[in-house]
Amino acid sequence: YFVKQAAEMSRRPPVREKLNGEGTVGEGNGDGVFTRMSSTSKTGPTNDHNHDSFNMSSRRLKSHDSDGFNDSNSSLEPKLGKKGFLRTSKRGELGGELNWLGNVRNKMSAFLISMKNMNNERRKARRRQLIYLLFALFTIFISFVHMKNHKVLRRQSKFLERLSRIGLRRRGSLGSKSKRKGIVYWPGGTWSRDPARARQVDWWEQNPMAPLGLSCDASDTSSSSSKNPSHPIKSFEEYKYRGYKIPPPVFNGRTPVPPGPGKERVQVALVVPFVQFQLNKVTNVLSHYWSKNPPCLPGSKKISVDLIFFTENSLSKGNKEFILDVYRSLGNDKVGCFFTATPTFLSLTDEDLHMSHLEGAAFDFYMLFELLESKYKTFMLVEPDAVPIRENFLPAIVAESELLRCDSDGLWQIGSLPLSKKVKSADLQKRLDYHINGNSFYILGCPDFEEYKCRVQTYYGPDGRCELMAGCATPEMYEGGYDHALYRYRVQSDNYEYSRLVMHRFSYSNLMHNLGDAVYDPVEIVENYPSTYLVHSKSIYLTDAANALKEVTTEILKVDTCGHDNHVSAVIAHIYRYLKTGEYTKRDAARYICKIMLPLGKVKKSVCNMYKNEAGGYAEDDWKDRMEGKTYLWTMDFHGGPASCDSPIIREAGGVLHAEVDGICDYYGLCRDRLKVIRADHWKEFDPTEQQIVDFKAAYKDDPEFKRVDAFLCHHPVANCELFLPFNRSIIVHATTRLEFGRHDAGIDWRLNSGYDRNTGQEKWKKWVKTLQNLATDKRNVIAANNAYDQQYIKYFTGISDVLLLPSWCGIGIGVTICEDGWKSNLQKNWMPTRAEVMIVPYRSNLDRTRYQTNVRRPIDHPILKELRAVSRDLRGTTEVKLISELYDDANPLRMLDHPAVVIIPYQVSTMNLIELYRLNIPMFCPSLSLLKRWCREHDLLWEVHYGWPEMLVENQENIPDPNGSLNMDKNSKEWEQMFDYWIPLSDFYQMKGIIYFDSWEDFFKKYHDALDSDRLVNTSHEMRQANKELEGSLLRQWKNILAKVRQQ
């Protein structure tokens, strides 16, 4: 614009104008004279005249008529100050000294002097033209400076980001500015030679209370004098590393502990670090992975490797014995080659250090060096999710460890890169992540490596998410962990001088593959990498369904599995339901997402194209082509518990269970999806009418899914198996409660109000017993019960002798639904009590009601609980016994893991909740038979055991007492006592191993306190764990036999 104005002037006749002596050049008035702008113009007042390099008032340039330029400081816009002198920008905005401006000033002065002899009008016109040109010049100049200033700000932003990255951004002193103990000062004012080191020293000075790195020497080297006796560094020039002058460390490295006199160190310590809630993972590694791929072969000689189980907090004696029992069960042929026959248990403290996961892992890691170096030359970390994929891996570990040495050519760390095939996961490719995973080999007793670790812990100080531990993470996303800190330190430009001299000390190896959380095929890895013996991946502890769901959602939806709107969450929950049962493969799940989400524009068509079927769409395969090689079971229940408990073991055995559940279904994620005719609407059609049975047959007569079904499974009630009789398929009757339930159950109050008729019920009962007897004669069918009571109950009322005891498993996924904590895990959480209360279970107790009356009292006012409160304080001590409802709003069994024990006050002989609690290995106390008999006599505690009083239709050849008696049976009679003594001992809580029985509340407190004072509770939990493990193996064999029996040929 200004250049254009100057050009215009050269073509115009001279115009008389006036330059305003104060303020800026104003706008022209009508007669061509420029008026003055006030000092309060929008550009603001002029100030800050203290920068010598910008204050040119001592060297003003004046024209013949005293007009000139003044470089007083102002804003970025060019202005004329007092007496017409042009003002420039402030120093901070210009970003540097403008020394070259003097040359420009001299040239301008010469040019103005040459104008003296021009005529007045000509001179004034040229002056105006000059002003425009100068405005143009300074506009260009200021724009240039502004651009440079923007670059400076960007560089400054990157600098601050880098400070944040290494954890050294100032955030105020944590205490006084006293000298930090242990700092090795750089004397002589030479900090400017290495600003990065200076920043570190400054940070540690500003934060004197920050915890020092565990790899650093904590001795007092606070003196900044060059004569500091505790460190040999005199000046920057005097510090050398391997002949190179480099910046000295801020702190001295820790001095390693030497081995005892004449003692030879073992070559490798194989360290398995874990926290107590990972106990099940450790035992799973030993019993499953080490059993399949043992450390050594039969007859192997002793190898210089010791096995160490390492925990931050001390393990109880019971937990140690449990691990040792599993270890010994492997046998000498598999683990007899370790240098020391018995594994070592190593821990740091009995106290809770209240550290985060990152802080705790780093604390354990850095402490291991001091704990191990006097006895071992090297150590290898093998976390519970790092497992062998080949046998005889100990010799390979020893061979690899021999590369670790402290001499100039030896290695300090050997491990694996991130080798997940999905390089975009956690921004691996974007971050150029080449870090060595923590499951690695490390050198012990090496002063140089101690200095390296100390430098790392000084560089990544205790800040941000690691306030209690230095060197436990970098500030970058996805880089939490000491292994990231160890790697990132040596690739930072700040540390180049030192890092280039130690970079060769870190080596990558194929002995262990770090796959993150990727699913892998061990056979494929062994074929492609013959030197690989172990694989580290979290996927081994995730269910197949969770792994597949994550792959599908990230690949197609480009989002994480959880945290979406209701529509997307519903789609993901639907997919997860069928991935979990085995009905969907990953391809099926992908097609479903594309079918639902593609019309909504939430997925890309190019991504979905690879999942199209042969017809070019996303429809599911024909039923005859689905679930190839699997036995397909179908059930319709009114309680999701039995199906949910059976489904995992059925899938492991090679089958798939599809469940259509009404009633209690949300908690289990099994609510009806494609059920026809029977729309039970929360139990209202619990007992189908004859017309509904006919309609059900017609609806499914030609249904392609029912043609794919191999067998129908009935749980709750089993009488609904009658619906499936017309379809000529195998039927599995798996009773979880009384046989008459749903047909002739006059003892249930809500059934009496749902259209139940006693005479009709009697006829339905006779028909159902006859049907069951006929089913038993066909070898394709299975008659079973999930508890001993109902097993004998079926035998008693039907005369069927071959009734299988098939317990419900309930061993996976207890208490969690999709996207809740722990929903992905294929292992149950551990019992680890953190609270003192003993809980009364189950949540539903019937203490508030009788058979036909509800809300009779509050549960806490029941006479049984009054007996509890009547126990003397001396005997109770500080022990509190609470109803679940007093502390929690729901019956989630996972809450009981926080409590030391539970007390069973039963209302039924078998419940899903009790089975779930037992599978969680929570110590249980239960009233003895004598105490329960008294409670039943006095308070009718087990009234719900009897759903009705059905007619005995077969001959009772063994004179077994009637399990139901009569409605108003005298509980003091011999008949009632015989009934109780025969049938009640068949209850689950008298059949399960490890339950502790008490004869009174006083006896309970005595036994409970004795158990607390010893390891009995822990031992009880382990006994339950062992019983559950044995049951799982037995159930798996039973279900494999059942599936083979019922599968269509």
Side-chain angles (χ1 to χ4, degrees), residues 137-251:
L137 173 64
F138 274 90
T139 301
I140 294 171
F141 165 71
I142 291 171
S143 299
F144 169 75
V145 171
H146 183 69
M147 290 171 59
K148 292 205 68 174
N149 186 44
H150 180 66
K151 293 181 179 179
V152 169
L153 289 175
R154 288 186 61 187
R155 285 197 298 271
Q156 185 182 23
S157 175
K158 291 182 178 179
F159 167 72
L160 293 174
E161 179 184 353
R162 188 162 54 192
L163 281 185
S164 174
R165 188 174 301 157
I166 64 175
L168 296 177
R169 180 176 291 184
R170 287 192 186 182
R171 53 175 189 172
S173 174
L174 295 178
S176 64
K177 292 190 176 182
S178 59
K179 300 297 182 183
R180 168 72 190 186
K181 287 187 176 182
I183 294 180
V184 179
Y185 284 91
W186 205 338
T190 57
W191 284 8
S192 60
R193 301 187 63 169
D194 185 7
R197 184 186 185 281
R199 291 194 302 271
Q200 295 176 57
V201 171
D202 182 57
W203 189 90
W204 285 96
E205 253 197 323
Q206 294 292 326
N207 297 278
M209 303 305 295
L212 189 66
L214 295 174
S215 300
C216 301
D217 187 356
S219 62
D220 186 358
T221 59
S222 60
S223 173
S224 61
S225 170
S226 61
K227 297 182 179 181
N228 180 5
S230 62
H231 200 288
I233 302 171
K234 306 301 181 185
S235 67
F236 173 73
E237 289 77 9
E238 293 178 6
Y239 185 81
K240 291 185 178 181
Y241 183 86
R242 302 290 182 183
Y244 285 81
K245 295 179 182 179
I246 62 172
V250 175
F251 296 96

Side-chain angles (χ1 to χ4, degrees), residues 117-152:
N117 299 323
M118 295 182 179
N119 64 68
N120 197 40
E121 292 296 328
R122 178 76 173 175
R123 186 184 58 189
K124 289 182 179 180
R126 289 291 301 272
R127 181 179 295 171
R128 182 176 180 184
Q129 188 178 20
L130 175 62
I131 289 173
Y132 277 117
L133 288 173
L134 288 177
F135 271 125
L137 173 64
F138 274 90
T139 301
I140 294 171
F141 165 71
I142 291 171
S143 299
F144 169 75
V145 171
H146 183 69
M147 290 171 59
K148 292 205 68 174
N149 186 44
H150 180 66
K151 293 181 179 179
V152 169

Side-chain angles (χ1 to χ4, degrees), residues 878-889:
T878 59
T879 301
E880 292 185 274
V881 182
K882 298 280 189 180
L883 291 167
I884 297 177
S885 58
E886 292 183 77
L887 297 183
Y888 304 111
D889 294 329

